[in-house]
Amino acid sequence: MAFPGLTDSMEWMEVRTPQDAYHFGLYQGGMFGIEPSLFQSGVFRPQVKPLSVDNLYAVGASIHPGGGIPIVIQGAQLMVRQLVQDFQITSASTTARST
């Protein structure tokens, strides 16, 4: 081996640009959510459980119900409801964890 330990000493970093954001559907490469078009609004928006992958949840400006701080907080509430349903959390166990 020419350079022992080289791979272990490397640090990797992925950098995204506005062009990458545009490629993934963010409006004009912006960072505040997906494009406000008909097919990225309402029921067409990515949902709290966007994929059928166990224990994968999403929340934020690009997730249903949408952008803006009050709406994102509402989206977080929707995600919590989904978690409570999926993990069969009772209100007693939720209260116990928050104290």
Side-chain angles (χ1 to χ4, degrees):
M1 197 174 217
F3 299 98
L6 178 63
T7 302
D8 293 333
S9 64
M10 290 183 179
E11 292 185 26
W12 295 90
M13 180 174 67
E14 183 174 337
V15 177
R16 300 241 173 149
T17 68
Q19 185 62 32
D20 295 318
Y22 179 78
H23 173 74
F24 288 106
L26 297 179
Y27 183 61
Q28 295 183 352
M31 61 183 170
F32 297 112
I34 58 178
E35 178 180 7
S37 67
L38 175 62
F39 290 105
Q40 292 184 348
S41 301
V43 297
F44 300 112
R45 247 182 147 67
Q47 301 296 304
V48 171
K49 289 189 78 170
L51 304 169
S52 56
V53 175
D54 289 343
N55 302 322
L56 176 65
Y57 300 86
V59 68
S62 292
I63 306 301
H64 175 77
I69 292 174
I71 306 280
V72 169
I73 291 172
Q74 182 183 14
Q77 184 179 28
L78 291 171
M79 186 186 73
V80 168
R81 286 181 186 159
Q82 185 71 52
L83 287 167
V84 167
Q85 177 183 329
D86 289 357
F87 291 96
Q88 300 173 357
I89 300 169
T90 64
S91 60
S93 63
T94 305
T95 305
R97 289 184 183 147
S98 64
T99 55

